[in-house]
Amino acid sequence: MTSELDADALRRAYDEQLRTEIPDPLPAGMVVEWDGPVVRMSGLDRGGFVTYRDVSHLSGPELDALIARQRDHFAARGEEVEWKLRGHDLPADLPDRLVAAGFAPDELETVIIGLAAPLAQTPVLPAGVTLREVTARVDLERIAAMEEAVWHDDRSHLVYGLAKELDADPQGLTIVVAEAGDEVVSAGWIRYEKGTDFAGLWGGSTLEQWRGKGIYKALVAHRAIRAVARGFTYLQVDASADSRPILERLGMIAVTTTTPYIWRP
């Protein structure tokens, strides 16, 4: 399967189709504004978000002013904001300019892309574990509790964020939990990016005692089936260092990296 994939071509498609993708319809409270080449999103579950396809045509002073405007917009709102930097972005000193404006880099992830159809296999699960698609708030709260156990920080934003997405467009995503009895041991969701060839895989955190048993792979397979049924060609993941090798073994390939640069009030 890997031989069918060309990293450069996939990166171009990713840039063209996903980098300025705007939810349609917008979740309640979300505001989208363009500022030159960037899309600025506010009213999200975790502060603001800035993305763009290309800022390399701006002069140094123009780029610094653009960065400062995003920071100042969210400073006036008293909110943190993420500037989503990709590893192939130009100019090369963009990370330094973000830091100079008060943004700090968070954990680097790898953008992984693969064909959906070969991954759409019947999920194989360990004994006692089942997959279930969910929409109820109580299940979103159980997902957040599982994520908090994995990451040891507050994940309540997932409850509000996913609930708002479901309210705005129930067909825009599918949320799946892996359960052992009455315990959520892992969870993931897939967003169907309208008007593109891509569906995005998110989540995938798994309780430590349940890792290495194929649950993450089963969640990928289940969501791939849903993507293929809706006519999507590719799956895209912002993969952590833990997830990347699993996805590459499944035949997906790295096309770039992504680093959240965060400004906090």
Side-chain angles (χ1 to χ4, degrees), residues 23-83:
D24 178 24
L26 293 178
M30 183 176 176
V31 177
V32 175
E33 302 166 292
W34 284 88
D35 183 351
V38 307
V39 181
R40 182 172 63 219
M41 304 179 190
S42 54
L44 305 175
D45 52 297
R46 291 187 78 180
F49 185 75
V50 174
T51 185
Y52 50 91
R53 188 175 298 171
D54 182 23
V55 294
S56 64
H57 60 286
L58 298 176
S59 69
E62 289 174 325
L63 182 53
D64 290 339
L66 178 69
I67 295 169
R69 284 199 303 274
Q70 312 321 307
R71 178 199 63 205
D72 295 346
H73 174 85
F74 288 97
R77 294 173 59 91
E79 293 178 358
E80 73 174 57
V81 58
E82 172 187 339
W83 179 294

Side-chain angles (χ1 to χ4, degrees), residues 18 21 23 27 44-45 157-158 160-166 169 171-175 188-194 196-203 223 226-227 230 232 234-236 238:
L18 292 182
E21 183 71 8
L44 305 175
D45 52 297
H157 65 275
L158 288 174
Y160 307 114
L162 291 172
K164 287 201 298 184
E165 287 188 61
L166 288 169
D169 184 8
Q171 302 305 311
L173 74 164
T174 301
I175 305 169
W189 44 101
I190 179 170
R191 292 188 175 102
Y192 309 106
E193 303 294 352
K194 294 180 182 178
T196 81
D197 299 319
F198 293 88
L201 302 186
W202 303 91
R223 290 175 289 171
R226 296 292 179 262
R230 291 173 182 245
F232 290 91
Y234 299 109
L235 299 178
Q236 176 263 320
D238 287 357

Side-chain angles (χ1 to χ4, degrees), residues 46 71 75 78-81 102-106 261-265:
R46 291 187 78 180
R71 178 199 63 205
E79 293 178 358
E80 73 174 57
V81 58
F103 288 77
D106 210 331
Y261 274 73
I262 309 294
W263 181 87
R264 293 181 173 89

